[in-house]
Amino acid sequence: MKLDFIDLKDLKTSPLNVRKHGDVNGDDLIPSIRANGVLQPLLVRPNCEGYEVIAGQRRFHSCQTIAKEQEVPAIPCAIMEYGDDAKAIEASLAENIARLPMDELDQYEAFLSLNNTGQSIEDIADHFGVTARLVQQRLAIANLYGPILNAYRREEIRPSTIRLLTMASAKQQKAWFKLFKQDDEPPHWQLKSWLFGGEEISTENALFDLETYKGVITSDLFGEDCYFADSKLFWEHQSKAIAEIKAELEDDGWQEVILLDVGESWHRWDHVDCSKDKGGKVFIEVKRDGEVKVHAGLIHQKEAKRLEKQKTGETETQSDKPELMQSMQNYLGLHRHAAVRTELLNHQGVALRLVAAQLIAGSSLVQAFAEPQKANTEKIKESLTANKAKTLFEQERSAVRSLLDLADAKGETIVPQKQDWGITRDLHAIFAKLLELDDETVSRILTFVTAETLPAETAMVEALGDYLNVDMAKEWRPDEVFFDLLKDKEAINAMVKEIAGKWVADGNITETAKTQKQIIKNCLSGEREAKVKDWQPHYMAFPMRGYTKRQETISAITEWNAVKGFYQAA
């Protein structure tokens, strides 16, 4: 069994539900559900159209009735798994939920007291038989300004307003409450805009010297509160200041300094204290109104549990977020492979030595299957067709096919691929033809066959690319597929720094990945001045390099690091 939230539209009554007669509509539950939501999870199981309700039909019908008048949030559900005992689960939920206070604020205090003793969100959820999401929603009340919380206790503020205020900064909450006391607060339907988009940026939130700001600063009639008239110009200055803070923290020895996206929620209760020397991290929180908070010496609760398990000898693997997604690594690997094996055509002596090594030591393609260059997506496949190196390689394949009199042979490659079941070459016919050819022509054919059977996305591609000084700029330029697959903001900002300069990179560090990628594109197209001519990303260097401390998560780099010692003297 697992607990989760499910949309009302994905639920339906099960024919197995035991309540067939009497009050199945649950009209008496509607007032309670309106006020507190669904507290006791429905018991459901998956079916082909979503989920069917095994227990909790009255709660389900009450939600359907409420949905006719207003939007109903996703409903907490206990999802049965194969072998679960429905009666036992329902009894357990009923027993646990009986311990849960009905009032929202009482729930908050109960959850907070347990959280303060070191219990995690999941532990508290299990204790009361509710979802972790419900616990997080109640603990969000901890963010509220004291007078606001007191007014809420007196039922002077509606719950929906409270939910929005929990996302606001302390400064915004105080400003809102000041207006609230004067009966001048923004109406509820405008509150979200007032908090996250409609408010001007105060000069109090600036991390930079106001004398460096060349834009207009407005103020009220008394000159006490001042605001930036040009928010874009403000963010350029603020971003550079944030970049400097991040750099200083990294220089100070923090293991990781995480810059959150502007407006991204960050919750203290999800984290525990952890000193710098024990792996503590720094989180830089940036509010939409420009306010910046630095939270130092913390790690997420899940990471703390993992470290605790390691201390007690329990093994648990925890991989870092990869710098490149699998599709991007596939894209890079295929383009690099195309360039390396094309360059190999110009080095027959190297090819002879390579094929000898494959015969002696074996390889993943020791049976001489042709490399299929399989793309993960159609877009990557289309991108590869425009690769100049691939075109040249196909031309040489056609020439070799003619030399071997294979014009009418089946299969796209000279050497059959693994999936080409039943396609074989006549050993004696090929050998007899090779006996007719001179050594230079045979060497040309052997070089091509070696290149055709070179495994893609392997350390051998890195080794050859490094040894042969393959220049990817001759064969490849960043295309739309490359930019679509480029996701990591830290790596993208490092690229902006390379091609457009540190000043531009720091000034756009808080911008979206899309905006920063557009800066790179503009530099490549000439619409913006580029600091580097014929720029190529580190990912196209040989050996491949990354842009972050997480570059070891890139398979091409880890595979090369494992074998590079063999080539240091070459």
Side-chain angles (χ1 to χ4, degrees):
M1 179 199 74
K2 67 176 182 179
L3 292 171
D4 202 355
F5 280 81
I6 300 176
D7 289 336
L8 183 62
K9 62 180 177 60
D10 295 327
L11 297 170
K12 70 175 185 179
T13 303
S14 169
L16 300 179
N17 195 293
V18 296
R19 188 182 291 276
K20 301 292 185 180
H21 305 287
D23 179 17
V24 297
N25 294 323
D27 291 344
D28 58 316
L29 299 179
I30 291 177
S32 173
I33 293 177
R34 285 189 192 276
N36 303 293
V38 177
L39 296 180
Q40 182 174 349
L42 308 182
L43 185 60
V44 303
R45 70 178 182 184
N47 64 19
C48 59
E49 299 175 356
Y51 298 87
E52 57 184 22
V53 179
I54 302 299
Q57 184 177 196
R58 297 177 68 242
R59 280 163 275 158
F60 172 58
H61 285 303
S62 296
C63 290
Q64 287 183 316
T65 301
I66 296 172
K68 295 177 182 178
E69 304 173 5
Q70 64 185 63
E71 183 179 354
V72 174
I75 299 172
C77 295
I79 303 174
M80 293 179 59
E81 298 176 353
Y82 181 77
D84 281 344
D85 186 327
K87 290 184 178 179
I89 293 174
E90 181 72 0
S92 175
L93 290 174
E95 179 183 353
N96 288 347
I97 208 73
R99 300 197 300 265
L100 180 67
M102 291 297 293
D103 181 76
E104 189 178 47
L105 289 175
D106 291 336
Q107 291 171 15
Y108 152 66
E109 291 178 348
F111 295 164
L112 184 63
S113 64
L114 292 176
N115 187 242
N116 288 337
T117 64
Q119 292 198 32
S120 67
I121 302 297
E122 291 76 13
D123 294 335
I124 298 170
D126 291 341
H127 179 80
F128 286 106
V130 296
T131 63
R133 180 175 167 186
L134 176 66
V135 177
Q136 289 176 321
Q137 289 173 343
R138 297 299 185 261
L139 286 179
I141 296 176
N143 286 339
L144 287 175
Y145 177 45
I148 291 179
L149 186 58
N150 292 333
Y152 182 46
R153 287 181 182 278
R154 296 191 298 269
E155 299 184 354
E156 296 174 3
I157 302 175
R158 59 199 299 180
S160 55
T161 298
I162 286 295
R163 281 193 285 272
L164 287 175
L165 288 173
T166 58
M167 296 185 288
S169 68
K171 186 181 297 184
Q172 287 175 316
Q173 291 183 32
K174 290 179 181 178
W176 179 88
F177 190 68
K178 182 179 179 181
L179 296 174
F180 172 76
K181 290 192 297 183
Q182 300 169 355
D183 291 329
D184 195 27
E185 78 275 14
H188 174 75
W189 58 273
Q190 286 185 344
L191 178 56
K192 190 172 184 179
S193 174
W194 185 86
L195 287 174
F196 308 125
E199 187 179 30
E200 294 176 297
I201 300 173
S202 172
T203 53
E204 293 181 359
N205 294 335
L207 298 177
F208 52 88
D209 187 347
L210 294 180
E211 292 184 1
T212 65
Y213 178 79
K214 304 303 181 184
V216 176
I217 294 179
T218 61
S219 63
D220 59 22
L221 293 177
F222 301 97
E224 295 178 353
D225 299 317
C226 299
Y227 303 93
F228 294 99
D230 188 340
S231 61
K232 182 178 180 181
L233 186 57
F234 160 80
W235 279 111
E236 289 179 7
H237 285 68
Q238 191 80 334
S239 293
K240 291 175 184 177
I242 293 172
E244 291 177 3
I245 292 174
K246 185 174 185 290
E248 289 174 0
L249 289 166
E250 290 172 339
D251 292 341
D252 195 31
W254 286 99
Q255 181 183 35
E256 189 173 1
V257 180
I258 301 171
L259 175 59
L260 304 176
D261 288 338
V262 176
E264 181 179 350
S265 296
W266 185 89
H267 304 298
R268 176 63 178 84
W269 67 74
D270 279 339
H271 301 76
V272 297
D273 294 327
C274 184
S275 61
K276 184 196 301 182
D277 59 334
K278 293 184 178 180
K281 301 178 182 180
V282 180
F283 298 85
I284 302 178
E285 184 182 13
V286 185
K287 298 290 187 180
R288 295 182 187 275
D289 65 353
E291 183 181 359
V292 177
K293 289 186 176 181
V294 177
H295 308 277
L298 298 162
I299 57 173
H300 196 276
Q301 284 188 1
K302 291 183 179 179
E303 188 172 357
K305 283 188 174 182
R306 178 175 62 83
L307 294 174
E308 195 62 35
K309 286 183 178 180
Q310 289 178 351
K311 289 181 182 178
T312 58
E314 296 183 48
T315 58
E316 182 180 351
T317 58
Q318 178 74 18
S319 58
D320 290 332
K321 172 191 173 185
E323 178 176 332
L324 298 179
M325 302 302 290
Q326 189 59 44
S327 293
M328 179 53 134
Q329 297 194 44
N330 172 241
Y331 168 91
L332 296 170
L334 294 182
H335 278 288
R336 293 156 59 80
H337 177 267
V340 169
R341 69 178 184 179
T342 301
E343 183 64 27
L344 184 61
L345 301 178
N346 301 322
H347 301 269
Q348 297 178 357
V350 176
L352 289 171
R353 287 162 177 77
L354 173 60
V355 72
Q358 287 178 326
L359 291 174
I360 294 171
S363 73
S364 60
L365 298 177
V366 71
Q367 292 179 288
F369 289 116
E371 163 56 47
Q373 280 213 314
K374 183 179 179 181
N376 287 354
T377 67
E378 281 299 318
K379 286 187 176 180
I380 296 177
K381 184 177 180 181
E382 292 172 7
S383 171
L384 196 63
T385 60
N387 186 292
K388 295 179 181 178
K390 182 172 177 63
T391 302
L392 293 173
F393 196 83
E394 295 294 341
Q395 292 173 356
E396 180 65 0
R397 176 181 282 138
S398 179
V400 170
R401 188 181 291 275
S402 297
L403 290 171
L404 293 173
D405 290 340
L406 292 176
D408 298 326
K410 295 181 180 180
E412 297 179 356
T413 56
I414 302 299
V415 180
Q417 299 180 43
K418 282 187 176 181
Q419 65 267 30
D420 292 335
W421 301 108
I423 296 179
T424 58
R425 303 283 185 251
D426 191 307
L427 174 63
H428 296 283
I430 296 293
F431 183 63
K433 183 62 182 178
L434 289 172
L435 289 176
E436 297 175 8
L437 303 175
D438 56 56
D439 289 348
E440 184 177 352
T441 303
V442 171
S443 182
R444 176 185 176 185
I445 293 171
L446 180 57
T447 301
F448 178 84
V449 170
T450 302
E452 192 178 55
T453 56
L454 173 65
E457 301 180 72
T458 63
M460 188 56 70
V461 175
E462 302 301 311
L464 287 169
D466 183 42
Y467 185 82
L468 301 177
N469 294 319
V470 174
D471 183 3
M472 287 298 299
K474 294 180 180 179
E475 318 292 354
W476 175 86
R477 291 287 185 275
D479 58 13
E480 283 301 319
V481 182
F482 170 82
F483 286 109
D484 286 344
L485 295 171
L486 189 61
K487 305 292 186 184
D488 192 281
K489 281 188 68 176
E490 185 179 355
I492 295 169
N493 188 256
M495 292 182 190
V496 174
K497 184 177 180 180
E498 267 186 353
I499 194 170
K502 184 178 185 300
W503 189 86
V504 176
D506 288 352
N508 289 275
I509 195 171
T510 57
E511 290 292 342
T512 63
K514 180 178 180 181
T515 298
Q516 295 190 57
K517 284 192 281 188
Q518 189 60 50
I519 293 173
I520 300 174
K521 293 179 184 179
N522 291 343
C523 288
L524 292 173
S525 66
E527 297 179 35
R528 189 178 191 133
E529 181 183 0
K531 302 293 183 182
V532 181
K533 185 179 180 181
D534 295 328
W535 175 82
Q536 291 270 298
H538 292 179
Y539 305 136
M540 288 303 186
F542 286 98
M544 183 191 282
R545 293 180 287 125
Y547 285 93
T548 73
K549 294 180 180 179
R550 295 170 281 112
Q551 64 175 328
E552 295 299 325
T553 60
I554 302 174
S555 59
I557 293 177
T558 55
E559 289 180 11
W560 169 249
N561 287 339
V563 302
K564 65 182 181 182
F566 297 112
Y567 298 98
Q568 289 175 346

